[in-house]
Amino acid sequence: MTGSPRNRFILLSTIGYAVLGLLWILLSDRMLLLFTDAGALTRLSTAKGIFFVIATAAVFFILLHAVPPASAAARAATLAPGMGLRRRLHWLFYVFAVAITAAVLLLRLYIPFDFSTRPILILFMLPIVLCALLGGLGPGLFATALSALVTDLVAQPHFHSAASSPYVQLQWISLVLNGIGVSLLSGLLHQSLARQEHSRRLLDVVVTGTTDAVFVKDGQGRYLLANAATAAIVGKPVRDILGHDDRELFDAASAQALMAKDRDIMAAGVVQTGEEHLVLPDGKAMAFLVTKGPMYDGNGHICGLFGISRDITGRKQSELALREAAVVFDGSYEGIIVVNPDGLITKVNAAFSRITGYRADEAIGRSPRMLSSGRHDTAFYRAMWDSVLQQDFWRGEIWNRRKSGDCYPELLTISVVRDESGRICHYIGIFADISQQKAHEAELERIANYDPLTGLPNRRLLSDRLGQAIRHSARSGKSCAVCFLDLDGFKTINDRHGHAAGDRLLAGVTDSLKTVLRADDTLARLGGDEFVVLLVDVAGTGECALVLERLLAAIRQEVRLGDVAVCVSASIGVSLYPQDNVDADTLLRHADQAMYLAKNAGKNRYQIFDPEIDRKAQAHRKELELLRHALANGEFVLYYQPKVDLESGDIIGAEALIRWHHPERGLLLPGEFLPLLHGSELENAVDEWVINTALAQASAWHDIGLSMHVSVNVSAGYLLAPTFCADLARALQRHGNVPPAHLELEVLETAAIADMEQAVVVLQRCRQLGVHFALDDFGTGYSSLTYLRKLPVDTLKIDQSFVRDMLNDADDLGIVEGVIQLATVFGRQVIAEGVETLQHGALLRRLGCRVVQGYGIARPLAADAFPQWCQQWQADAAWHTLTVSS
């Protein structure tokens, strides 16, 4: 409560007012006891009250205006607010002197004593003392003069006259002298207090206005004074700092260090200045420059210490940054140059001298133009400085000259440093010598784009030049040719004479090819013995052929390999652009394909790629992809065409025929897609699917009581595949309720004799599994009777092309009759395909062929319709009609 000057003033004023009020009441009441007259007593009491109100109101008014401000900021707003108040209210003190003197006079007049004989002038000392104490010398003297004048005028006789009593005159003169003395002493007191107040206010302005932390501690380290800067650093209000020590303000380590240092300073008794490092409550580390010194009491004993602390954290950080910058500047491996706005060098680092050869004293004060190599024109430097001035930055490669005169490439960065107003202070250039980097890049460029053995462009550089040739051809309208060369017999020479000799042969061939090529043509090596020749501005196929002949002739030239001379030839594949209007990679691939055609055709020749043939091949590949997709998505389905015995009417089996449920074209017959599968890997997968699906269907029929033989067509490729027998065995095992004898595999006659020996082996292994075989389309190939006797087939199928026209064509009829007789001779069952009508069936039965299939019997049926057809066949008994007609 009493910590601030304002509170202390209010407390002291209240106490003083209470003491004066009590004294006045006691003294005035004692004075009233002198009166016995009730009327006089009443008047005197009233006068006393009026005097008290006037006096206390004046004192109360002055004291309220003299109360110090509550905040330090308000106290610091003026150097001496009390003095200013007295100057502004000086006239009030004179008014107060008149009022208080009149009140005292009125009070005296009510006292029943003769004023001339007993003036009781001591009463008039009150206004004199009050005016002197409150107003100082002037109001005190004015009150003294006014009191002397008033009392003199009121007294009869007047005090100054000779008629007045010497005793009374002595009191009157004593009043004047005492008033003068009190006024003089009060004036001196006021001057002293004013000087003290001014000094205190000056100190308060400094303490409260400074950004430095100012504090005072007692001997136990408790804070007696702390300014706003101290509170801001600690993060607490001043009231929470006063009376507390450092342990309640900082972390334990910082507080212990501060208190130990404070004890040392008080023990030494001298002022000390040094740095202190503290950790604030928020965890922030700060550095301060602190001046501390002992504080003495009135007896000269140290009772505490004062301190002034300045935050130098930012300065320390700046100093650290400057030291680090200096380390970076001096220790940088890259050259650094500082240039002033006038274009003169002001500072360089050691790396500058190492790179350029100029010492610092040789460079400072000179223009950077001393490093110019002369390799760049004016436009280059103009563009560079335009970027620097517009963007405050430029980075690029530049050639400069060393002190020795050698030119070198450098990677230079120029930055602009501006002041707060935006004016240029410095230009900073940072550069590095990239001579080794440039040499390394050139080496990498050579390695990346050229063949190390022959020095020819490699595939990467060829691809770039081929792209350029295609663009040039599109603009000029002339052709460009990609010629893919592969040496014939190089491997033999390499194996016979060694790899070193092979390398010399490649180098010799390279030299020979260079002699017949034009300057604009490109000869590249892809690796091994593969070369590519890129011909530009070719008028047509005829001109290209002439160049190709020269290339073949150059390659055939003799090459010396030490003591041995060798000759090689080459196979060349050629693709022409824009005749083959594709991209660069495809052109190269087409030339490679044509090269293989030339090699297969006998070598030492060239082959020009045919885009039409390739288009058909691409279409075939797309069709195969569709078929692969169809197999994966279950778009294939099997239909079953019955086989019947025309003699007994028995249904002896069904042939599984594949169909394709095309998502756009509908149901497709085998002739529309099976030829596409011939010779492909997908052919084996489709055949395997057919066998497994047919066996699964036979198994399903078996479960419903329909035991049916199923025949499946097998391609030659799958039949002769190494995995065929194993795949067949697994399929039979998966469908164990189907007897193996119920499965018949149909093999084309032409397929069976393509590799007869292997076919015989495969068929015999499958016969051991219990599977039967039929020779399909018999009579359409060139079967040898010897092979027919060796083939382990059970059935010969007469091709439908002979059966369909045998009613009208005697030759076809003779072939059918001959096949039936041949099957009888070799002990084979015979079955006729293509029975379109009952007349075909009747004739075949007469010729001795009982088993038939065809549209005259039934069209291929879906699997779910086949059982119903079997029932209908038995019910119709159509074979009886054939018996009667025959």
Side-chain angles (χ1 to χ4, degrees):
M1 177 65 185
T2 61
S4 67
R6 175 186 176 89
N7 293 336
R8 289 195 296 270
F9 180 84
I10 292 173
L11 179 61
L12 293 176
S13 300
T14 303
I15 294 173
Y17 176 78
V19 171
L20 290 176
L22 291 174
L23 290 176
W24 168 255
I25 291 173
L26 292 175
L27 293 176
S28 62
D29 288 345
R30 296 291 296 177
M31 184 176 63
L32 291 176
L33 295 177
L34 300 175
F35 299 93
T36 57
D37 182 45
L41 182 64
T42 301
R43 289 191 299 273
L44 184 60
S45 178
T46 302
K48 181 190 72 169
I50 294 172
F51 171 77
F52 181 78
V53 170
I54 294 174
T56 55
V59 172
F60 187 65
F61 177 80
I62 294 172
L63 290 178
L64 286 179
H65 281 79
V67 176
S71 64
R75 292 196 303 272
T78 177
L79 291 180
M83 295 174 60
L85 176 66
R86 282 191 293 271
R87 286 195 296 268
R88 291 194 303 270
L89 304 179
H90 194 66
W91 59 274
L92 290 176
F93 293 115
Y94 293 97
V95 174
F96 175 73
V98 173
I100 194 66
T101 302
V104 171
L105 178 62
L106 180 62
L107 176 65
R108 173 63 186 85
L109 292 178
Y110 280 104
I111 298 176
F113 293 107
D114 184 16
F115 196 88
S116 299
T117 59
R118 297 179 62 185
I120 315 179
L121 295 179
I122 190 65
L123 292 176
F124 290 92
M125 283 304 297
L126 178 62
I128 293 173
V129 171
L130 287 177
C131 291
L133 290 177
L134 295 176
L137 178 62
L141 293 177
F142 177 75
T144 301
L146 186 61
S147 298
L149 178 62
V150 169
T151 54
D152 184 47
L153 292 176
V154 172
Q156 293 296 331
H158 300 296
F159 293 147
H160 67 277
S161 65
S164 176
S165 168
Y167 173 74
V168 174
Q169 287 182 342
L170 180 61
Q171 292 184 31
W172 184 67
I173 294 172
S174 297
L175 173 68
V176 173
L177 293 177
N178 288 332
I180 294 173
V182 169
S183 298
L184 290 175
L185 291 176
S186 179
L188 294 176
L189 178 61
H190 272 262
Q191 290 180 1
S192 176
L193 291 176
R195 285 194 297 271
Q196 292 182 5
E197 178 68 13
H198 184 70
S199 299
R200 189 187 68 80
R201 295 289 179 180
L202 285 176
L203 180 61
D204 197 25
V205 168
V206 173
V207 171
T208 58
T210 182
T211 58
D212 293 343
V214 179
F215 55 89
V216 176
K217 300 180 183 180
D218 62 14
Q220 286 72 42
R222 294 186 294 266
Y223 283 88
L224 301 177
L225 180 144
N227 66 347
T230 305
I233 292 174
V234 176
K236 294 183 177 181
V238 173
R239 63 176 178 273
D240 293 341
I241 298 175
L242 300 180
H244 302 282
D245 57 24
D246 292 320
R247 290 173 296 186
E248 301 181 48
L249 303 178
F250 306 103
D251 69 293
S254 299
Q256 184 176 358
L258 286 175
M259 297 180 74
K261 189 170 184 178
D262 291 347
R263 287 193 295 270
D264 293 341
I265 291 174
M266 287 187 289
V270 294
V271 177
Q272 296 182 10
T273 300
E275 293 184 5
E276 292 182 356
H277 298 271
L278 303 177
V279 178
L280 300 184
D282 60 1
K284 182 179 179 182
M286 299 187 70
F288 297 91
L289 181 63
V290 182
T291 298
K292 292 181 179 179
M295 184 175 65
Y296 299 91
D297 59 14
N299 298 322
H301 299 125
I302 296 176
C303 61
L305 84 163
F306 71 90
I308 303 174
S309 180
R310 173 167 295 179
D311 181 7
I312 59 171
T313 305
R315 191 185 79 186
K316 299 295 287 185
Q317 293 174 347
S318 299
E319 291 176 354
L320 178 61
L322 289 175
R323 288 195 300 270
E324 292 176 346
V327 171
V328 172
F329 184 85
D330 295 330
S332 174
Y333 189 76
E334 295 181 330
I336 302 176
I337 178 174
V338 181
V339 179
N340 63 19
D342 297 328
L344 300 180
I345 300 173
T346 59
K347 192 173 184 180
V348 297
N349 68 344
F352 172 90
S353 301
R354 174 179 54 80
I355 295 173
T356 65
Y358 288 98
R359 299 191 310 272
D361 59 332
E362 294 176 325
I364 293 176
R366 299 180 62 182
S367 170
R369 286 193 293 269
M370 71 179 187
L371 303 173
S372 177
S373 65
R375 293 194 178 189
H376 303 287
D377 56 14
T378 305
F380 173 84
Y381 290 106
R382 184 183 302 114
M384 179 181 73
W385 283 106
D386 286 346
S387 175
V388 171
L389 296 177
Q390 295 174 8
Q391 304 177 16
D392 287 353
F393 179 82
W394 182 85
R395 181 181 177 88
E397 295 183 3
I398 188 172
W399 283 84
N400 274 343
R401 189 184 303 276
R402 306 184 204 274
K403 182 180 179 180
S404 62
D406 298 333
C407 292
Y408 67 98
E410 69 179 30
L411 181 62
L412 173 64
T413 300
I414 301 177
S415 302
V416 176
V417 179
R418 298 180 182 271
D419 59 15
E420 296 178 353
S421 62
R423 291 178 299 182
I424 296 176
C425 297
H426 301 287
Y427 301 98
I428 298 178
I430 302 175
F431 61 94
D433 184 355
I434 57 174
S435 301
Q436 294 183 353
Q437 178 181 338
K438 284 293 186 181
H440 185 58
E441 288 177 356
E443 180 63 18
L444 291 177
E445 178 75 12
R446 188 187 67 78
I447 294 174
N449 294 297
Y450 291 91
D451 175 50
L453 175 62
T454 62
L456 297 177
N458 59 11
R459 184 184 294 271
R460 178 180 179 183
L461 184 56
L462 171 66
S463 178
D464 179 68
R465 292 189 181 179
L466 180 54
Q468 295 179 18
I470 290 175
R471 291 190 292 272
H472 175 73
S473 178
R475 291 193 301 268
S476 65
K478 293 185 177 182
S479 301
C480 66
V482 179
C483 309
F484 200 103
L485 284 73
D486 185 87
L487 300 183
D488 301 327
F490 175 76
K491 185 176 184 304
T492 303
I493 296 175
N494 210 22
D495 294 342
R496 180 180 303 171
H497 300 286
H499 292 286
D503 291 345
R504 289 197 297 271
L505 174 60
L506 294 174
V509 170
T510 299
D511 294 337
S512 299
L513 289 173
K514 288 179 179 178
T515 60
V516 297
L517 293 175
R518 299 167 299 178
D520 293 336
D521 298 332
T522 298
L523 172 62
R525 180 181 178 228
L526 302 186
D529 60 341
E530 293 180 343
F531 295 83
V532 172
V533 175
L534 176 60
L535 305 176
V536 296
D537 291 335
V538 178
T541 306
E543 182 180 349
C544 181
L546 294 176
V547 178
L548 293 172
E549 291 292 348
R550 290 200 300 269
L551 291 175
L552 290 173
I555 294 172
R556 289 194 298 267
Q557 291 180 9
E558 187 179 84
V559 178
R560 300 290 304 181
L561 304 179
D563 297 334
V564 181
V566 297
C567 294
V568 292
S569 61
S571 300
I572 305 177
V574 184
S575 59
L576 288 169
Y577 181 88
Q579 291 84 343
D580 186 12
N581 192 11
V582 293
D583 56 47
D585 291 339
T586 307
L587 273 176
L588 191 61
R589 189 173 66 253
H590 288 173
D592 189 17
Q593 295 173 8
M595 182 274 294
Y596 278 105
L597 294 176
K599 193 173 286 290
N600 293 333
K603 304 178 182 179
N604 191 26
R605 65 190 65 214
Y606 63 85
Q607 176 69 45
I608 297 179
F609 178 80
D610 188 344
E612 180 61 24
I613 295 176
D614 183 68
R615 185 191 65 77
K616 293 179 180 179
Q618 292 285 356
H620 182 254
R621 282 193 289 271
K622 291 181 181 179
E623 292 289 346
L624 284 178
E625 187 61 33
L626 289 176
L627 289 169
R628 185 175 289 105
H629 184 270
L631 179 62
N633 291 347
E635 296 177 7
F636 290 129
V637 66
L638 291 183
Y639 276 56
Y640 298 90
Q641 189 173 40
K643 301 177 185 179
V644 299
D645 187 336
L646 295 179
E647 186 71 28
S648 63
D650 294 338
I651 303 172
I652 65 170
E655 180 181 2
L657 301 172
I658 192 170
R659 299 289 188 268
W660 181 10
H661 275 298
H662 196 283
E664 297 177 357
R665 298 167 59 190
L667 190 66
L668 301 182
L669 296 178
E672 298 184 65
F673 60 88
L674 283 184
L676 299 172
L677 295 173
H678 182 66
S680 68
E681 295 180 357
L682 187 59
E683 184 178 34
N684 295 356
V686 172
D687 284 351
E688 184 179 4
W689 176 85
V690 171
I691 292 174
N692 282 279
T693 305
L695 285 173
Q697 186 59 59
S699 176
W701 284 337
H702 183 276
D703 292 340
I704 64 174
L706 182 62
S707 181
M708 186 64 58
H709 290 71
V710 179
S711 61
V712 176
N713 291 280
V714 180
S715 66
Y718 189 42
L719 179 68
L720 301 178
T723 62
F724 175 73
C725 292
D727 293 343
L728 182 60
R730 284 193 296 269
L732 291 171
Q733 187 177 5
R734 279 194 295 269
H735 308 287
N737 61 341
V738 178
H742 283 199
L743 177 63
E744 183 181 62
L745 301 179
E746 298 185 4
V747 183
L748 289 174
E749 176 190 4
T750 51
I753 67 171
D755 190 346
M756 185 59 68
E757 297 297 335
Q758 185 181 356
V760 169
V761 173
V762 173
L763 267 60
Q764 288 175 345
R765 290 178 59 188
C766 293
R767 285 290 296 271
Q768 294 174 2
L769 297 174
V771 176
H772 295 286
F773 282 90
L775 195 58
D776 196 11
D777 297 343
F778 188 77
T780 58
Y782 305 92
S783 299
S784 167
L785 295 181
T786 302
Y787 283 157
L788 181 59
R789 180 171 56 85
K790 291 181 179 181
L791 282 174
V793 296
D794 303 285
T795 304
L796 299 181
K797 296 192 71 172
I798 306 174
D799 186 65
Q800 59 182 340
S801 62
F802 304 126
V803 176
R804 186 181 300 113
D805 296 330
M806 70 178 185
L807 296 178
N808 304 316
D809 191 325
D811 291 337
D812 287 345
L813 178 59
I815 292 174
V816 171
E817 187 176 3
V819 172
I820 294 172
Q821 293 174 359
L822 188 62
T824 302
V825 171
F826 282 96
R828 304 290 197 269
Q829 183 182 5
V830 66
I831 181 173
E833 297 179 308
V835 177
E836 303 288 343
T837 64
L838 292 179
Q839 288 80 5
H840 287 87
L843 179 57
L844 286 169
R845 200 189 70 78
R846 287 199 303 268
L847 294 176
C849 179
R850 298 171 54 181
V851 182
V852 298
Q853 68 179 98
Y855 285 1
I857 306 300
R859 290 178 174 273
L861 303 168
D864 55 354
F866 191 82
Q868 183 180 358
W869 178 88
C870 292
Q871 295 176 1
Q872 188 67 37
W873 169 260
Q874 296 293 338
D876 292 343
W879 66 91
H880 291 304
T881 305
L882 296 178
T883 304
V884 173
S885 63
S886 62

